[in-house]
Amino acid sequence: MALRRFGRPKGVEGDSSPNLFVANCGPAVGLSHETIASVFSAFGELREVCSADESGVRVIVSYCDESSAKAALEALDGRPCPDLGGRSLHIRYSVLQPTLQGKVNDSVPVSLVALDLNIPGLYLLHDFVSPKEEEELLAAVDDKPWKGLAKRRVQHYGYEFCYETRNVNTRQHLGELPSFVSSILERISLFPNLDNHANIVLDQLTVNEYPLGVGLSPHIDTHSAFEGFIFSLSLAGPCIMEFRRYTEGAWLPNTSSTSTKVQTPENGPNFLRRAIYLPPRSMLLLSGEARYAWHHYIPHHKIDIVKDRVVRRGPRRVSFTFRKVRTDPCQCEYPQYCDSQ
């Protein structure tokens, strides 16, 4: 859902506008746009009520004339509103900002199924594990030591991913993958989209814990480090994952990053965007084009907009990412995205 850009009117504080920025009010606190409109329409004819941002707790109320907006502001600002759950609203005038030429929308429509994204090699299975299995998996990793990074915690099994070199040291084997993921590995072998690769052996597991509001920068898992199948199990909290396919010349590696990252401005029309909702207990498979040519990215949000519905992220999200360490040079069909080229 694209959000319209509003800001404070230029000039003195008293400048008016037919648009009101209303805080402490929105779907995230149980107030639908229809309910909000029913209250504000008492002061004049409304054009619309829309989200002010992705928080779900701030809206823009637009009137057909400034006098209606002024009446609503004077009546409701800073006062509890019985018809809106007794919430005290914080209101100021707002104006629609011009859109910069070439500016990319902050958000992209979010799909619930992988097929809608039309990205070859991308698959998503809902309810890959049961709630009981989810609880047991989380308890198992919480019983193990975590390694702290800048904004999240990680655990490595099988082989450690070296963030400084963006690669795996194959001479430092940490042992077999832990027994608490054995049933997951067995179930992965039955994944319906593996074709003739049902006997694939996964030997590396990274467990990531993301606190509320923490996401992941756009990247492609290093080609030279891992082979062509990447499985990611989402636990504890939901999120949106966005996929970006950059046009030729728009991709540049960052040798100091944890993986192949992009150095591309966000205000250019030089990449395709898709987004999918990852509910807890779902398993995502990246293979082929989806694995090698599309950057994946988790926005740094506390709340996501999915099909015009506000979805709150949990206090934590934990992902189990299973991969196969590469022992031979990458020979994929996308050398322009390969770090070893």
Side-chain angles (χ1 to χ4, degrees):
M1 180 179 66
L3 300 178
R4 302 177 66 186
R5 292 298 186 186
F6 285 82
R8 186 185 296 277
K10 293 182 179 180
V12 298
E13 183 68 23
D15 282 359
S16 62
S17 163
N19 309 304
L20 298 176
F21 178 97
V22 185
N24 197 29
C25 180
V29 294
L31 300 175
S32 69
H33 289 178
E34 292 76 14
T35 299
I36 298 167
S38 69
V39 172
F40 279 83
S41 63
F43 301 93
E45 184 179 355
L46 288 176
R47 291 186 184 276
E48 65 174 337
V49 174
C50 62
S51 297
D53 52 35
E54 294 174 332
S55 70
V57 295
R58 292 179 282 270
V59 299
I60 298 296
V61 177
S62 295
Y63 285 96
C64 294
D65 59 83
E66 293 184 4
S67 61
S68 298
K70 180 180 180 182
L73 186 149
E74 292 177 348
L76 299 176
D77 182 36
R79 298 180 177 90
C81 181
D83 294 327
L84 294 176
R87 306 189 72 82
S88 294
L89 307 182
H90 307 287
I91 307 175
R92 66 172 186 263
Y93 290 119
S94 188
V95 294
L96 182 64
Q97 299 292 321
T99 302
L100 296 175
Q101 185 175 5
K103 179 72 176 178
V104 176
N105 290 333
D106 280 345
S107 55
V108 62
V110 178
S111 299
L112 301 178
V113 295
L115 186 63
D116 291 345
L117 273 64
N118 194 29
I119 299 178
L122 178 68
Y123 304 97
L124 178 69
L125 292 184
H126 289 224
D127 297 313
F128 192 82
V129 297
S130 68
K132 184 175 186 298
E133 288 174 310
E134 176 185 41
E135 182 179 345
E136 292 171 348
L137 288 167
L138 292 171
V141 293
D142 283 338
D143 195 42
K144 304 290 184 181
W146 292 91
K147 178 180 180 180
L149 300 181
K151 294 184 178 181
R152 66 184 194 274
R153 300 193 300 175
V154 299
Q155 295 179 19
H156 296 289
Y157 298 92
Y159 295 89
E160 181 173 5
F161 184 83
C162 302
Y163 294 97
E164 294 79 11
T165 62
R166 300 181 297 116
N167 217 316
V168 171
N169 186 348
T170 56
R171 292 173 294 182
Q172 293 185 353
H173 187 217
L174 303 178
E176 300 301 318
L177 297 190
S179 59
F180 57 79
V181 297
S182 297
S183 62
I184 305 301
L185 294 172
E186 293 174 3
R187 211 168 304 166
I188 281 177
S189 68
L190 301 176
F191 211 95
N193 306 103
L194 289 183
D195 297 327
N196 296 325
H197 301 276
N199 294 324
I200 183 173
V201 176
L202 302 170
D203 57 9
Q204 199 275 337
L205 166 63
T206 296
V207 181
N208 282 284
E209 181 194 57
Y210 300 90
L212 178 62
V214 174
L216 195 62
S217 298
H219 71 282
I220 295 175
D221 283 38
T222 314
H223 286 207
S224 61
F226 305 108
E227 294 191 359
F229 293 93
I230 297 174
F231 297 86
S232 184
L233 179 66
S234 294
L235 301 176
C239 75
I240 285 174
M241 180 171 283
E242 183 177 311
F243 295 88
R244 300 178 178 185
R245 178 74 189 264
Y246 288 79
T247 58
E248 186 175 357
W251 172 86
L252 289 173
N254 180 350
T255 56
S256 64
S257 69
T258 62
S259 52
T260 305
K261 283 190 179 180
V262 289
Q263 299 289 313
T264 303
E266 296 298 295
N267 60 352
N270 52 4
F271 60 91
L272 302 174
R273 303 175 73 194
R274 308 282 189 271
I276 193 168
Y277 174 63
L278 303 181
R281 301 185 298 281
S282 63
M283 177 70 85
L284 183 74
L285 166 59
L286 302 180
S287 62
E289 182 180 319
R291 182 267 185 268
Y292 286 118
W294 287 76
H295 293 74
H296 55 279
Y297 158 60
I298 300 175
H300 300 267
H301 295 164
K302 294 182 179 179
I303 292 176
D304 295 310
I305 308 296
V306 182
K307 301 292 185 183
D308 293 330
R309 181 171 63 93
V310 174
V311 177
R312 286 182 174 273
R313 295 192 186 177
R316 69 191 297 216
R317 173 179 174 267
V318 178
S319 67
F320 284 54
T321 302
F322 299 88
R323 295 171 284 208
K324 175 71 172 69
V325 171
R326 186 180 295 281
T327 56
D328 298 318
C330 177
Q331 297 181 352
C332 73
E333 299 176 5
Y334 308 95
Q336 69 271 33
Y337 297 102
C338 188
D339 57 291
S340 61
Q341 300 300 311

